[in-house]
Amino acid sequence: MLRVAVVGSGPSGCYTAQSLVQLDPSVRVDVLDRLPCPYGLVRYGVAPDHEKIKSLQSNLRTVLEHERVRFLGGVRVGEDGVPAARLRELYHAVVYCVGAATDRHLGVPGEDLPGSWSATEFVSWYSAHPDAVDDGFVRDARSAVVIGVGNVAVDVARMLARGPAELSPTDMPQAALSALAASRVSEVHMVGRRGPSQARFTTKELRELGALPDTEVTVDPQELALDPAYLDPSALPAAPRRNVEVLRGWATAPGRSAARRIRMRFFLRPVELLDEHGRVAAVRFERTVPDGQGGVTGTGRYEDIAAQLVLRSVGYRGVPLAGLPFDPATCTVPHLAGRVLREGTVAPGEYVAGWIKRGPTGVIGTNRPCAKETVTSLLEDAAALLRRELPGDPLAALRAEGIEPVEWTGWCAIEQAETELGVSLGRSVVKLPDWESLLAAARRSTS
């Protein structure tokens, strides 16, 4: 019987477990996660008002409830946790699906000023990630700048513009809901260094901005016209062509009175965050123009946009995991069809899937074929892997070493506690926002 550990319970981890049990009728899979809650970015990265995407949790749930799959939450792997070498002793194979755990930086002066945050930190806060900090993101802010033009940038801009009536039915933690309800942010600038035809958001997400109650979306026609593809987008792929059409509609629409305004800006590159009284007060941008090769070049002309809140949304990157090789150039683990490579040689029993394998690209569904490729490699190696005898049930070994995982019943107890919290607040489900309350709820399953 093949025993496999999958490290990470987000989409890539769940799809890996799913492929394993579908393709091998005898395999046993333990899905380990540092957090006591499963689903990764589906729980802690998808915006709370995106109920359709969040409903993917039910599909992932089916995987984790499979009779040959165990969820073991609250288990840290690597530094300050179970060493990678120890996992290899406990399982025939280990598949690392640890994602891209941190954000990219701008690399400009003032980036670390108070009031300047990565969009990842902001998303973690309103998604109730237990590592998030509540440091008054929107307190005293009237103008916000979101640097980036991808879906995460659209998400955070939308959250800043939504009212409490629209956010209350979501599972957003109560503290974040109260803070956003009291927010006085009335101007949100979403800024990209290139043009509208190169923006990374999807058209569906983009259109949602135009449907926000009491919110006007504006676009500067002169900035759009700098993009060679703007006047005639017919040669563009379907998605950017639709984006350009939406932006053109906003650029030509008559102005209207609204409580909040989202300003879409293009061809502006951040060069410095400016401070006042020790906090961010504005972002200085350099005007850019197309260089004719798909990039942009600076013009030496600058514009300052006032902002008491800056959210940087310029991408994710993987981080090294203690005990695994790491390529700092790509921020991924070197691999061959999912097999981990150590100094160019396949490391028996070690595999990767998801963003740590291919980089932070694609949508949730992209993880399915990625996971299947890795699982195919693993099962091709199964005969060799099974030659090594294991010491017994890995869960018993972990417990003997003082590790008490949150099992599936513990997660179900957390879900129940979140339902009860929602009822007590006159809302639906409301997420528990911190380690203490999550673990206390999980312990109810064993009391």
Side-chain angles (χ1 to χ4, degrees):
M1 179 180 65
L2 187 68
R3 282 197 178 273
V4 179
V6 173
V7 181
S9 66
S12 64
C14 287
Y15 291 146
T16 297
Q18 184 180 51
S19 288
L20 281 165
V21 295
Q22 285 178 343
L23 297 175
D24 186 324
S26 64
V27 68
R28 296 290 189 273
V29 183
D30 286 348
V31 179
L32 283 60
D33 202 293
R34 183 178 69 87
L35 299 176
C37 309
Y39 311 136
L41 284 180
V42 176
R43 176 174 167 91
Y44 289 120
V46 173
D49 61 339
H50 274 177
E51 289 299 325
K52 185 174 181 181
I53 303 176
K54 289 174 72 68
S55 68
L56 284 171
Q57 290 186 16
S58 62
N59 296 339
L60 305 183
R61 182 185 197 93
T62 301
V63 176
L64 295 176
E65 288 182 330
H66 191 281
E67 61 183 359
R68 288 183 281 121
V69 176
R70 287 191 300 198
F71 172 69
L72 303 179
V75 179
R76 185 183 293 270
V77 174
E79 192 173 3
D80 300 325
V82 182
R86 180 57 175 152
L87 276 188
R88 282 287 294 115
E89 293 171 355
L90 296 176
Y91 295 89
H92 292 111
V94 182
V95 187
Y96 293 92
C97 306
V98 292
T102 191
D103 59 283
R104 294 187 182 277
H105 294 273
L106 297 173
V108 302
E111 184 172 11
D112 296 325
L113 281 169
S116 168
W117 302 87
S118 73
T120 306
E121 292 168 309
F122 187 62
V123 170
S124 292
W125 169 67
Y126 68 59
S127 298
H129 194 292
D131 290 339
V133 294
D134 181 0
D135 202 22
F137 289 95
V138 296
R139 190 183 306 132
D140 300 326
R142 295 180 181 273
S143 176
V145 166
V146 180
I147 300 173
V149 283
N151 278 349
V152 175
V154 174
D155 279 349
V156 299
R158 195 178 65 255
M159 287 297 102
L160 288 169
R162 276 220 185 274
E166 302 137 61
L167 293 176
S168 183
T170 73
D171 61 6
M172 179 179 287
Q174 188 64 31
L177 175 64
S178 299
L180 289 171
S183 167
R184 294 182 295 170
V185 173
S186 59
E187 294 269 350
V188 180
H189 306 261
M190 194 161 75
V191 188
R193 63 184 176 88
R194 298 193 293 178
S197 70
Q198 297 166 309
R200 302 299 296 272
F201 39 62
T202 57
T203 309
K204 179 179 181 295
E205 292 253 359
L206 182 63
R207 284 181 176 140
E208 288 181 358
L209 295 180
L212 293 171
D214 208 14
T215 301
E216 181 186 25
V217 182
T218 67
V219 191
D220 185 340
Q222 293 182 328
E223 289 182 350
L224 298 183
L226 290 172
D227 190 329
Y230 175 69
L231 295 176
D232 181 15
S234 60
L236 290 173
R241 185 176 68 249
R242 289 192 296 265
N243 287 342
V244 168
E245 290 167 354
V246 172
L247 294 167
R248 178 184 282 123
W250 288 337
T252 57
R256 61 186 178 89
S257 177
R260 292 172 293 275
R261 184 169 287 105
I262 298 174
R263 300 184 184 272
M264 307 287 295
R265 304 294 308 273
F266 296 96
F267 292 109
L268 291 172
R269 177 168 58 200
V271 294
E272 185 178 2
L273 274 63
L274 308 176
D275 76 292
E276 184 177 285
H277 307 306
R279 288 186 59 84
V280 68
V283 184
R284 177 160 294 165
F285 292 92
E286 181 183 17
R287 168 66 66 194
T288 62
V289 292
D291 63 5
Q293 299 176 343
V296 292
T297 185
T299 64
R301 302 196 311 273
Y302 298 89
E303 176 182 344
D304 294 351
I305 299 179
Q308 301 79 44
L309 170 65
V310 176
L311 298 173
R312 312 178 308 270
S313 180
V314 291
Y316 297 95
R317 60 186 177 90
V319 297
L321 185 71
L324 278 186
F326 188 75
D327 181 351
T330 61
C331 295
T332 60
V333 171
H335 71 93
L336 178 64
R339 297 177 176 93
V340 171
L341 296 175
R342 292 182 180 273
E343 298 181 351
T345 301
V346 170
E350 294 182 307
Y351 303 85
V352 284
W355 280 0
I356 199 62
K357 170 187 174 184
R358 67 180 192 274
T361 61
V363 295
I364 290 175
T366 311
N367 291 292
R368 196 183 292 274
C370 173
K372 190 170 183 178
E373 178 191 57
T374 295
V375 169
T376 299
S377 295
L378 190 160
L379 294 180
E380 287 174 356
D381 303 339
L385 297 172
L386 282 166
R387 295 192 191 109
R388 185 170 60 88
E389 285 196 26
L390 301 182
D393 184 356
L395 178 55
L398 291 172
R399 284 177 171 155
E401 294 168 17
I403 298 168
E404 197 56 53
V406 174
E407 296 184 71
W408 191 251
T409 53
W411 160 240
C412 292
I414 291 172
E415 288 186 303
Q416 179 62 32
E418 293 183 337
T419 299
E420 293 169 359
L421 177 60
V423 170
S424 73
L425 295 170
R427 297 171 58 195
S428 54
V429 173
V430 175
K431 285 181 180 174
L432 299 174
D434 57 79
W435 281 96
E436 183 179 359
S437 56
L438 287 168
L439 294 177
R443 283 194 292 269
R444 286 169 48 179
S445 68
T446 58
S447 60

